[in-house]
Amino acid sequence: MKILVTAKRVTDPNAKLVIDDDGSWIDDDVEYILNPFCENAVEAALQIASDNDAETIAIGIGDEEVQRYIRQGALARGVDRGIHVDAEEQELDSDLIAKILKAVVEREEPDMVLLGKQAVDGDSNQVGQLLAEMLGWPQATFASEVKVEGAEAIVTREVDGGLETLAVTLPAVITADLRLNDPRYASLAGIMKAKKKPLEELELDDLELDDEEPKVRVVKLHEPAGRSAGVVVADVDELLQKLTTEARVL
Amino acid sequence: MSKILVIAEYIDGVVKKATLTTLDMARQLADKKGADIDIAVLGSNIGGVASALTGYGAGTIYVADHAELEHALAPTWAKVIADIAEEAGADVIAASASTLGKDILPRVAARLEAGMASDVVAVVDTDDGPGFRRPMWAGALLADVVIDTDTWVVTARGSAFDAAPATGGESTIESFAAEPGLGASRTRFVKFDGTKSDRPTLDEADIVVAGGRGLKSADGFAQAVEPLADAVGGAIGASRAAVDDGFCPNDYQIGQTGKVVAPQLYFAVAISGAIQHLAGMKNSKVIVAINTRDDEPINKVADYSLVGDAFTVIPELCEKIAALKAAG
């Protein structure tokens, strides 16, 4: 069995973002972390691999810096090897990222692709689903539990109104929600080992995509209207008085 | 002529508000593009849903009623939606950014080789024509995006649009001969465990009462949040921390990766207000923070901050609200 898992780098959610001079992207001189949902996907890949004797491969897309997040976020935690696809992240939309992943899936032929359900920078929540359709594979998104039973993965999904359980025949695409697991920390030994693990570097040209044009373009970024802090009320009576006579919402 | 196909969502045969907010987005887009609107209803035994939607200005309501469509399994629903879009000649396919829309619409986009804008909060004019505004980076920034393909796929954030009112008029209801191909989807529905509640749902409520980690336990959460929700007739929500700690079901989670709400009144009880939580509620009309401190991030967005222990403040609040209501 073979599992491909994504290791996407995202801006640190607590970083102060500055819109660049062009107005259509951010100044990329900020702190980055591994996408939290990818941490869940990596953990799930490792757990499934240990139960099913599988090989695990982490993939990251972006400039050379991305290799750090593949090594520290995935290989140091125990993923067997990495693939880095060199590309300018800003020029990729969800569709192109899915196409890159599809090309890698065709080279590696994994039984399962695990991704974070969304990247917390773009917040699009599309790549796993796009990839599944492009491959003609079943999908189980927003997973909070995954078990492999024979030729199927039994997946519990977090959906509006409750929890849905699906059985998908492998190979399949599964996207991780936050409650899927508690990602392990990399051990010191893991970090040392990660430095020697294979990390293949691919250029976009190596993947022979049929199309390299993004379908969706950001034309302008702007700051949302701010919300100013209100007042501290003295007690319950003052709060109720404000809600009924000032805000008129009760 | 441009054509927008709106995917209907319903529960137990009743149209969801998410369908009407998506219709509102579709109308705004239709005005800019000069487009007509059609609706697609997929499922099993769903005639009632289609007839409930005839007064909303759609030209045709396509009904794909098929046993294999009973559960909204992404591969089969995406195939049928794409088939209906082709039949209708739709160049925009729109759904709510609910978990159903998020799960299925990207597959529709891939089938139709369309670009997709997720979780749209406004239809905007750009130098390159009509576009969509959507939050990125947990709403820290808003992006105006354009889609460069002929066919567009869009999901609309429910809290950012009003429920479209019925405008009268009749739509043609057309039965669509769906070919879902369930076997080829290699997906089997096993079960659904629904969250049981008599309270309003988060996406439909005018008042939301949300609890956080400060409530310390599932018992504490119930003790603080439930009486207040009942007193104001509100829905219950939670911070991610409260859900992670098992205080309440997962679909109570409000935030960047949970539900996004914008009610008239939002009570944040024992919630500090991480950026991910604020992303899910900061567009509420009035925000009340009830917390033991007044210098947390939540206090920077709250209209009214009440400092105190939730377990003593909330019973008093509930009692006084009840007295107010009794006084009329």
Side-chain angles (χ1 to χ4, degrees), chain A residues 55-70:
Chain A
E55 184 191 14
T56 48
I57 309 153
I59 175 163
I61 304 167
D63 64 24
E64 213 163 277
E65 273 294 294
V66 163
Q67 293 189 11
R68 218 174 98 199
Y69 298 84
I70 299 172

Side-chain angles (χ1 to χ4, degrees), chain A residues 117 121 123-124 126 129 133 139 141 152 161 163 165 167 179 215 217 219-220 222 227 230 233 246, chain B residues 99 102-103 107 111 118 137-138 142 144 146 148 188 190-191 193 195 253 257 282 284 302-305:
Chain A
K117 78 164 180 180
D121 49 5
D123 282 336
S124 280
Q126 293 181 12
Q129 297 89 311
E133 183 64 41
Q139 72 185 41
T141 54
E152 285 182 331
L163 296 169
T165 307
R179 278 169 288 278
K215 294 180 159 66
R217 262 184 308 128
V219 289
K220 192 167 173 244
H222 39 105
R227 188 170 183 123
V233 293
E246 189 176 87
Chain B
T99 51
K102 288 175 182 170
D103 185 47
R107 289 193 80 125
R111 285 191 87 89
S118 300
W137 294 283
L142 296 171
D144 290 353
V146 292
D148 287 329
R188 193 160 53 81
V190 178
K191 64 173 177 171
D193 296 317
T195 308
Q253 185 184 323
T257 61
K282 68 181 177 187
S284 303
D303 299 278
Y304 307 113
S305 293

Side-chain angles (χ1 to χ4, degrees), chain B residues 197-200 209 222 224-236 318 321 325:
Chain B
S197 172
D198 295 330
R199 299 187 182 86
V209 180
V225 169
E226 286 178 7
L228 182 55
D230 291 337
V232 296
I236 294 182
C318 291
I321 289 171
K325 292 209 163 153

Side-chain angles (χ1 to χ4, degrees), chain A residues 3 27 46 55 63 81 89 93 99 113 115 161 169 189 201 208 210 221 232 246:
Chain A
I3 302 171
D27 188 338
L46 292 171
E55 184 191 14
D63 64 24
R81 61 185 169 93
E89 264 184 283
D93 63 354
K99 284 194 172 121
V113 182
L115 309 89
T169 305
E201 294 175 49
E208 296 173 358
D210 52 8
L221 287 179
V232 177
E246 189 176 87

